[in-house]
Amino acid sequence: MADVKNTLVKFQSIIALLVLCIVLTIMSDKFFTMENGWNIARQISINVCISVGMTLVILTKGIDLSVGSILAFSGAVAAGLLKFGLEVPAFNTYIGFTVFGAILAGLVIGGSLGVFNGWMITRFKVPPFVATLAMLTIARGATMLWTGGFPITGLGDSFDFIGTGWFLGIPMPVWITVIIVVIAVIVTKKTQFGRHIYAIGGNESAARLSGININKIKIWVYAIAGILAAVGGIILTSRLDSAQPNAGMSYELDSIAAVVIGGTSLSGGRGSIMGTVQGALIIGVLNSGLVLLNVSPFWQQIIKGLVILVAVIMDRLNHPSED
């Protein structure tokens, strides 16, 4: 009996996803179609990118509320540099940017803001919730300043291909997401860096005594979270052919939801990247199904909140020994 229970707990996310798909297939003849499947895959690609970084953060017993704003700012910087270039008045110089250069600049911005989060948390012992909440506001304000409060549009076909193009019959955002997930799985399961992340979340004091550089690992984790938020921002901007000043609003909540539903413990030290992917799929499938069933957007928010609450309660019941 105990073995059956352990099996159900281990595969509860997959079971929930399968049940959800079966129910929605019965309720809507438009759900189980190739077109809707690709729509779901494209829609969750951004959340998966963000949630992979969020998983690493939560595994260290941290949290990152700034990913939505970092996504917006990184996407806006990439779009602005690609569209307008950069003027340096001090040297009377104009610098033009290629698609690659603009993307690289966006990733650097995301990583730099992530490093700043990690530095504030490790150097000044600011709680992750407070440090990243502050960055949420800072990055959102920086986005408004950079864009002037207006969208940056007309970014060109080459840039738009990242979010709207297809390669070998698969959407580009899905390719990008798969690559990120594969790398993240290898890092967390096969490298010393991944083992240190779990060790810090499991027992930070013991990890420090064993010689692990806690501060270095945490800064790297928040930097990676920032870079992956920037990847999400670039995908979103290219898909819309527009950098919106209010892009990424509440994306941090969907990211945390995917991580929690996927079985990663908010207490740190337990969870997996593939579990997070399953959590993002559950959210994506649920969103798609509710839209196809013409459920009010207000009810959609309530249902999503209840799903998150149930996931956390089940996690606590299955692991009562965790604080």
Side-chain angles (χ1 to χ4, degrees), residues 78-118:
L81 293 177
L82 181 61
K83 178 79 173 182
F84 306 113
L86 181 65
E87 292 187 8
V88 186
F91 298 98
N92 194 27
T93 303
Y94 170 83
I95 303 174
F97 281 79
T98 62
V99 170
F100 176 78
I103 291 172
L104 184 59
L107 296 179
V108 169
I109 289 292
S112 298
L113 296 181
V115 167
F116 184 80
N117 280 337

Side-chain angles (χ1 to χ4, degrees), residues 31-210:
F31 177 78
F32 196 70
T33 63
M34 184 67 73
E35 181 182 0
N36 191 51
W38 285 127
N39 284 338
I40 293 172
R42 281 195 296 261
Q43 289 167 5
I44 70 167
S45 61
I46 295 171
N47 191 24
V48 172
C49 287
I50 301 172
S51 299
V52 167
M54 186 69 76
T55 302
L56 301 181
V57 169
I58 292 178
L59 282 173
T60 64
K61 210 171 182 178
I63 198 75
D64 191 346
L65 301 179
S66 66
V67 288
S69 295
I70 291 177
L71 174 150
F73 188 42
S74 300
V77 168
L81 293 177
L82 181 61
K83 178 79 173 182
F84 306 113
L86 181 65
E87 292 187 8
V88 186
F91 298 98
N92 194 27
T93 303
Y94 170 83
I95 303 174
F97 281 79
T98 62
V99 170
F100 176 78
I103 291 172
L104 184 59
L107 296 179
V108 169
I109 289 292
S112 298
L113 296 181
V115 167
F116 184 80
N117 280 337
W119 183 62
M120 293 299 293
I121 291 165
T122 57
R123 177 65 178 83
F124 299 101
K125 308 303 178 186
V126 178
F129 182 92
V130 176
T132 59
L133 180 61
M135 180 54 71
L136 179 154
T137 305
I138 293 168
R140 182 64 60 184
T143 305
M144 293 296 179
L145 285 172
W146 179 264
T147 62
F150 296 97
I152 301 173
T153 60
L155 305 176
D157 293 339
S158 297
F159 184 78
D160 293 347
F161 181 78
I162 297 169
T164 61
W166 293 67
F167 179 68
L168 298 179
I170 297 175
M172 281 300 296
V174 177
W175 278 114
I176 295 169
T177 301
V178 168
I179 292 170
I180 288 172
V181 168
V182 169
I183 293 173
V185 169
I186 293 172
V187 168
T188 53
K189 290 184 175 295
K190 301 295 183 180
T191 69
Q192 186 181 64
F193 177 69
R195 290 190 291 272
H196 287 176
I197 289 173
Y198 281 95
I200 291 170
N203 190 323
E204 186 170 322
S205 298
R208 181 176 287 106
L209 290 174
S210 68

Side-chain angles (χ1 to χ4, degrees), residues 12-14 17 43-56 58 63 67 177 181 250-266 270-287 304-305 307-309 311-312 315:
Q12 62 185 6
S13 295
I14 296 177
L17 180 60
Q43 289 167 5
I44 70 167
S45 61
I46 295 171
N47 191 24
V48 172
C49 287
I50 301 172
S51 299
V52 167
M54 186 69 76
T55 302
L56 301 181
I58 292 178
I63 198 75
V67 288
T177 301
V181 168
S250 299
Y251 276 33
E252 60 276 357
L253 303 182
D254 281 346
S255 176
I256 294 170
V259 175
V260 171
I261 292 173
T264 296
S265 172
L266 290 171
R270 177 174 57 79
S272 70
I273 299 298
M274 290 310 300
T276 293
V277 173
Q278 293 162 23
L281 275 169
I282 289 172
I283 293 174
V285 167
L286 182 63
N287 286 338
K304 189 187 298 184
V307 169
I308 296 169
L309 191 60
V312 173
D315 181 73

Side-chain angles (χ1 to χ4, degrees), residues 18-39:
L18 290 175
V19 171
L20 186 59
C21 288
I22 292 170
V23 170
L24 291 175
T25 299
I26 294 171
M27 297 181 69
S28 173
D29 58 358
K30 297 179 181 178
F31 177 78
F32 196 70
T33 63
M34 184 67 73
E35 181 182 0
N36 191 51
W38 285 127
N39 284 338

